[in-house]
């Protein structure tokens, strides 16, 4: 695999987020401010614009540029959070061979960036509730000798479970936290977009 | 979809076309960078003056772009509707208004706004040159337990703060002093809001939440997000008490205190009702022995076409009242100039 796989991933994410924009916004209407779908769609359309104009020699440069583009185009909380994820992911891949191990390190670095920026903890009803089990499943699969495709599929499945598990939670971060107990019973939009991004990775990266 | 009734062309163009309108309507006072979506005071940067920047999602007009001008902000960064602007905008605005005296960022406490302004400050520091301080407003008492939430939201006090701190910067006070004053204003202000209707984000095309004919939402923010409680519709005097009581008891404001009393419309409530609400608020304050030094009634920090209002109290001393009375000339607030 090489940089082309990462280009395919980002393009596929853009399609997936576009197709799910209304769904994400609907989730965000229930407990947030009804902009998550539109913002993610706008951000990844801008990433596609960059991909159309620029060719990249390495995955790390590509991911860093995608991160900067998201920071510049998305706004809200998801811009800095996803932007930081791709920036840190890219930075961690600099100079490394693309293997399940190095990609795992990159994913960890990205999620650590998300945590540093968002200061969320497990169970706060945020995207981290999808990222955390996904990383755990990915690491376990790679440690067991799985290839990248199997590991990413395991990660995406774990993210989906984490996403579903946000439904009964009371939000403690972001705008949903203003609702207190009333935020329970709704699926977190951020955990949902994270799952879409990982599902796309499982389809396109290997 | 299909139920949205708005004076727009295309939902995707709402913010940029509204900014073009501001530029066209106020060429004497404003300069608008349409590409970066920044509204500038026409004569910024002012030599020797601390630059004041705010910004946030669109849909709260006149805040913040309507508060750019003499005696208030030097620049305002506009995000998409209800979405914070991005660090690039704050960076560009910061550089453009810095005249050597430094820049104060006025940030409302929302997760996105705080993160984007933080990133801008980090980038500005790396980029070198401009001294930047920040104040985060968080006056909304409807958010009760800050340990388990993103913290109290910045709402009505932001308007009063931009006016008062704007006057202090206009006087030539130095950055640290201006920042300390901003913090003092925030610390002495409290707000609470309610909604009679939801609002429709143009890109979403349908109301953010549904309220039945006989319901109201108490403890709302300014982004069409649902509030703390859904209650049966009540007479204005009861609604006033629901807003004033938690505000007064929170600081607390006490007998003998002097305040600026601000009844703000959320965008879809007529002034007739806002003045009626102000009457109820003033009576409650009078009964509590709180003196209204100054008042403000109108639509200043809105939530698109939402019907409803918020009440903000700011405890003031002579210095704050003097700064409040100082000349201001912006599209949204003007007196003495």
């Amino acid at each position: 695999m090489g940089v082309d796989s990462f280009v395919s991933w980002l393009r596929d994410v853009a399609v997936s987020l576009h197709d799910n924009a209304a769904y994400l916004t609907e989730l965000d209407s229930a407990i947030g401010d009804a902009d998550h779908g539109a913002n993610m769609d706008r951000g990844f359309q801008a990433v596609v614009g960059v991909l159309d104009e620029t060719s990249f020699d390495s995955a790390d440069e590509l991911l860093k540029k995608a991160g900067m583009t998201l920071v510049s185009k998305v706004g809200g909380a998801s811009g800095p959070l996803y932007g930081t994820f791709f920036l840190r992911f890219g930075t961690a891949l600099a100079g490394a061979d693309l293997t399940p191990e190095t990609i795992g390190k990159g994913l960890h670095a990205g999620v650590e960036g998300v945590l540093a920026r968002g200061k969320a903890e497990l169970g706060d009803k945020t995207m981290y509730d999808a990222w955390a089990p996904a990383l755990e499943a990915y690491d376990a699969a790679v440690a067991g000798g799985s290839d990248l495709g199997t590991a990413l599929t395991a990660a995406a499945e774990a993210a989906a479970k984490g996403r579903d598990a946000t439904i009964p939670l009371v939000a403690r971060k972001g705008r949903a936290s203003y609702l207190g107990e009333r935020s329970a019973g709704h699926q977190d939009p951020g955990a949902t977009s994270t799952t879409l991004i990982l599902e796309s990775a499982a389809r396109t990266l290997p | 979809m299909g139920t949205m009734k708005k004076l727009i062309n295309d939902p995707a163009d709402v913010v940029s076309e509204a900014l073009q309108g501001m530029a066209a309507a106020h060429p004497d006072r404003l300069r608008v960078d349409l590409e970066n979506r920044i509204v500038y005071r026409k004569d910024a940067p002012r030599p020797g003056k601390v630059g004041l920047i705010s910004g946030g999602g669109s849909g709260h007009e006149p805040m913040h772009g309507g508060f750019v001008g003499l005696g208030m902000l030097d620049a305002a960064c506009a995000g998409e509707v209800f979405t914070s602007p991005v660090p690039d905008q704050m960076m560009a605005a910061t550089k453009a208004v810095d005249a050597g005296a430094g820049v104060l960022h006025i940030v409302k406490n929302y997760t996105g706004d705080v993160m984007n302004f933080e990133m801008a400050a980090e980038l500005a520091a790396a980029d070198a040159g401009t001294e930047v301080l920040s104040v985060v407003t968080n006056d909304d008492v409807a958010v009760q337990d800050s340990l388990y939430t993103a913290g109290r939201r910045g709402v009505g006090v932001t308007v009063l703060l931009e006016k008062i701190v704007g006057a202090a910067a206009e006087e030539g006070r130095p950055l640290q002093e201006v920042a300390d004053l901003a913090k003092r204003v925030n610390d002495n202000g409290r707000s609470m809001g309610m909604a009679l209707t939801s609002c429709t984000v143009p890109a979403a095309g349908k109301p953010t939440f549904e309220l039945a004919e006989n319901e109201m939402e108490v403890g709302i923010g300014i982004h069409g997000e649902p509030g703390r409680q859904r209650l049966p519709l009540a007479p204005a005097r009861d609604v006033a008490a629901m807003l004033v009581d938690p505000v007064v008891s929170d600081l607390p404001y006490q007998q003998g205190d002097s305040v600026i009393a601000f009844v703000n419309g959320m965008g879809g409530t007529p002034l007739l009702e806002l003045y009626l609400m102000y009457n109820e608020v003033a009576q409650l304050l009078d009964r509590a022995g709180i003196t209204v030094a100054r008042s403000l009634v109108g639509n200043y920090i809105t939530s698109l076409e939402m019907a409803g209002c918020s009440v903000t109290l700011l405890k003031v001393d002579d210095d704050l009242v003097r700064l409040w009375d100082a000349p201001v000339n912006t599209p949204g607030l003007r007196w003495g100039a």
Side-chain angles (χ1 to χ4, degrees):
Chain A
M1 67 170 304
V3 64
D4 292 347
S5 305
F6 284 86
V7 171
S8 305
W9 177 35
L10 295 176
R11 286 188 182 279
D12 189 72
V13 169
V15 172
S16 172
L17 290 174
H18 183 74
D19 291 346
N20 285 283
Y23 171 54
L24 291 172
T25 287
E26 191 183 316
L27 293 173
D28 198 25
S29 297
I31 55 172
D33 52 358
D35 65 358
H36 190 54
N39 289 347
M40 293 302 288
D41 187 22
R42 190 178 62 251
F44 271 87
Q45 294 310 316
V47 170
V48 167
V50 170
L51 297 176
D52 288 344
E53 284 172 9
T54 320
S55 63
F56 292 88
D57 297 330
S58 65
D60 63 291
E61 288 304 322
L62 169 73
L63 292 176
K64 280 191 273 188
K65 182 65 184 173
M68 280 312 291
T69 304
L70 293 175
V71 168
S72 297
K73 296 294 178 191
V74 178
S78 46
L81 290 171
Y82 280 119
T84 301
F85 170 79
F86 284 103
L87 270 171
R88 300 280 179 95
F89 190 177
T91 305
L93 287 183
D97 292 330
L98 298 175
T99 66
E101 288 77 14
T102 59
I103 288 171
K105 277 186 189 162
L107 289 169
H108 273 275
V111 174
E112 277 158 25
V114 168
L115 279 184
R117 181 76 52 207
K119 300 171 183 76
E121 291 173 24
L122 202 59
D124 281 354
K125 198 178 181 103
T126 71
M127 63 171 72
Y128 184 57
D129 292 331
W131 283 121
L135 289 181
E136 203 173 307
Y138 184 95
D139 291 346
V142 172
S146 298
D147 60 13
L148 182 63
T150 311
L152 284 172
T153 302
E157 285 169 3
K161 280 188 194 148
R163 170 201 66 197
D164 295 344
T166 63
I167 294 172
L169 295 176
V170 173
R172 288 185 295 208
K173 282 284 180 291
R175 278 191 196 152
S177 70
Y178 305 138
L179 286 170
E181 298 290 334
R182 286 170 73 189
S183 63
H186 299 280
Q187 183 175 312
D188 181 62
T192 308
S193 55
T194 290
T195 304
L196 291 171
I197 288 169
L198 284 167
E199 285 171 350
S200 172
R203 279 196 298 274
T204 54
L205 270 186
Chain B
M1 310 293 257
T3 55
M4 180 166 57
K5 219 171 168 186
K6 287 182 187 288
L7 289 170
I8 61 174
N9 296 309
D10 182 318
D13 299 330
V14 169
V15 174
S16 56
E17 290 180 4
L19 285 172
Q20 288 176 47
M22 283 201 81
H26 306 292
D28 52 329
R29 284 175 280 186
L30 305 179
R31 181 163 54 81
V32 181
D33 174 350
L34 291 171
E35 194 194 329
N36 288 308
R37 297 185 170 185
I38 303 169
V39 177
Y40 287 109
R41 178 174 165 170
K42 189 161 190 187
D43 57 358
R46 302 276 299 167
K49 178 185 169 302
V50 169
L52 295 187
I53 291 181
S54 192
S58 296
H60 308 305
E61 292 69 21
M63 192 183 75
H64 295 278
F67 298 143
V68 173
L70 174 100
M72 272 183 105
L73 301 175
D74 293 275
C77 306
E80 287 294 324
V81 173
F82 293 170
T83 300
S84 115
V86 298
D88 309 41
Q89 291 171 278
M90 294 122 177
M91 289 269 294
T94 301
K95 280 185 197 163
V97 307
D98 182 29
V103 175
L104 180 71
H105 287 175
I106 300 169
V107 188
K108 301 188 300 304
N109 188 36
Y110 295 96
T111 305
D113 293 66
V114 171
M115 281 186 203
N116 282 282
F117 269 101
E118 267 177 14
M119 287 195 93
E122 285 169 23
L123 294 168
D127 212 36
T130 303
E131 193 186 352
V132 179
L133 293 179
S134 299
V135 61
V136 177
T137 60
N138 58 350
D139 51 305
D140 184 1
V141 305
V143 180
Q144 285 162 343
D145 190 355
S146 16
L147 273 180
Y148 299 103
T149 64
R152 287 182 162 178
R153 299 173 284 221
V155 285
V157 153
T158 317
V159 177
L160 308 183
L161 186 150
E162 287 176 2
K163 166 67 191 81
I164 288 170
V165 171
E170 205 70 52
E171 281 184 352
R173 295 192 194 181
L175 179 61
Q176 188 62 54
E177 205 177 304
V178 170
D180 291 344
L181 175 71
K183 189 172 181 311
R184 185 155 72 92
V185 170
N186 181 61
D187 289 348
N188 284 289
R190 295 291 188 276
S191 301
M192 175 98 165
M194 60 81 59
L196 297 168
T197 66
S198 181
C199 57
T200 298
V201 174
K206 54 185 178 186
T208 306
F209 60 90
E210 297 289 348
L211 269 179
E213 284 295 316
N214 58 347
E215 288 177 334
M216 61 181 181
E217 190 86 19
V218 177
I220 50 139
I222 52 170
H223 299 92
E225 64 266 55
R228 296 291 295 191
Q229 275 184 298
R230 187 159 294 189
L231 297 171
L233 201 54
R237 70 177 65 87
D238 299 341
V239 175
M242 280 176 214
L243 302 182
V244 170
D245 291 349
V247 165
V248 167
S249 61
D250 193 87
L251 190 66
Y253 298 87
Q254 291 165 327
Q255 193 167 8
D257 281 351
S258 215
V259 298
I260 296 175
F262 172 26
V263 170
N264 171 65
M266 302 309 296
T269 288
L271 276 173
L272 182 78
E273 293 171 33
L274 294 180
Y275 275 108
L276 190 155
M277 278 299 293
Y278 182 79
N279 182 45
E280 298 294 343
V281 169
Q283 288 179 33
L284 289 167
L285 295 177
D286 187 50
R287 246 173 272 159
I290 296 165
T291 305
V292 177
R294 297 290 183 271
S295 63
L296 184 68
V297 180
N299 294 286
Y300 292 102
I301 169 169
T302 60
S303 194
L304 293 170
E305 75 277 38
M306 178 180 274
C309 72
S310 60
V311 171
T312 298
L313 297 183
L314 171 63
K315 188 172 157 180
V316 290
D317 56 19
D318 290 345
D319 185 40
L320 293 188
V321 171
R322 199 180 53 74
L323 291 167
W324 177 256
D325 288 342
V328 60
N329 184 358
T330 70
L333 213 57
R334 181 176 188 177
W335 57 71

